[in-house]
Amino acid sequence: MPTAQPAELEFRPAVEADVPELVALVESAYRGDASRAGWTTEADLLDGQRTDPDGVRAVIRTPGSVLLAVERDGELVACCQLEHRGDHAYFGMFAVRPGLQGGGLGKEVLAEAERRCREMWAAKEMRMTVVSLREELIAYYERRGYRRTGELSPFPYGDERFGVPLRDDLAFELLVKTL
């Protein structure tokens, strides 16, 4: 018997009513034991929260920014932030439900995000920052055309809105892709 194909992904701008579910999705992908079901966990590097309702609301409300909610069969399965910054776009708050990671969903979301940034803003480049110790994650992005710049920015130690560091050597590295 043939296996049913998964339903198409639906992309839409997130709205305020989505905030609780978006916070739960982002937290599940990066923090705590639930995040260990996927491969994007930061649980060995950071404790505490990855985001909070105020942070998600701020992304939704920021002019020139969109938080894409990605659904399949009416269920939130992924999200990402796109922000217009002059000649480039910033990609952030990327999360895929842990049990669905590794099946190509993230690759589809990233490709759609890049397409939208080219079309909406004529962005020439997509930029993102990744914790520099996340070699497996950086390799994932490199396979999709992003390059490491070696440009580091400090982790916001002491600001628990971004998590509680479990190491003292965290920094963000800028990754860039020409669109």
Side-chain angles (χ1 to χ4, degrees), residues 20-127:
E21 196 175 3
L22 287 164
V23 170
L25 172 65
V26 172
E27 292 298 307
S28 74
Y30 291 97
R31 297 288 197 273
D33 288 336
S35 70
R36 294 181 193 281
W39 66 272
T40 61
T41 183
E42 295 173 343
D44 295 328
L45 302 175
L46 294 153
D47 205 353
Q49 69 180 30
R50 178 63 154 47
T51 192
D52 59 27
D54 290 340
V56 173
R57 262 188 225 95
V59 171
I60 291 171
R61 293 176 179 166
T62 298
S65 175
V66 62
L67 183 54
L68 281 182
V70 184
E71 296 177 331
R72 180 178 279 149
D73 290 329
E75 178 186 2
L76 183 68
V77 295
C79 68
C80 67
Q81 169 193 10
L82 306 174
E83 187 174 321
H84 186 211
R85 296 183 179 176
D87 64 346
H88 70 277
Y90 177 79
F91 178 80
M93 206 175 285
F94 186 29
V96 173
R97 188 174 303 284
L100 300 175
Q101 293 176 15
L105 177 61
K107 184 168 49 174
E108 284 185 67
V109 173
L110 184 58
E112 177 64 12
E114 292 167 354
R115 185 191 70 73
R116 285 176 181 242
C117 288
R118 282 191 307 269
E119 287 186 7
M120 289 188 308
W121 301 316
K124 304 285 186 234
E125 228 176 40
M126 182 81 91
R127 298 181 186 179

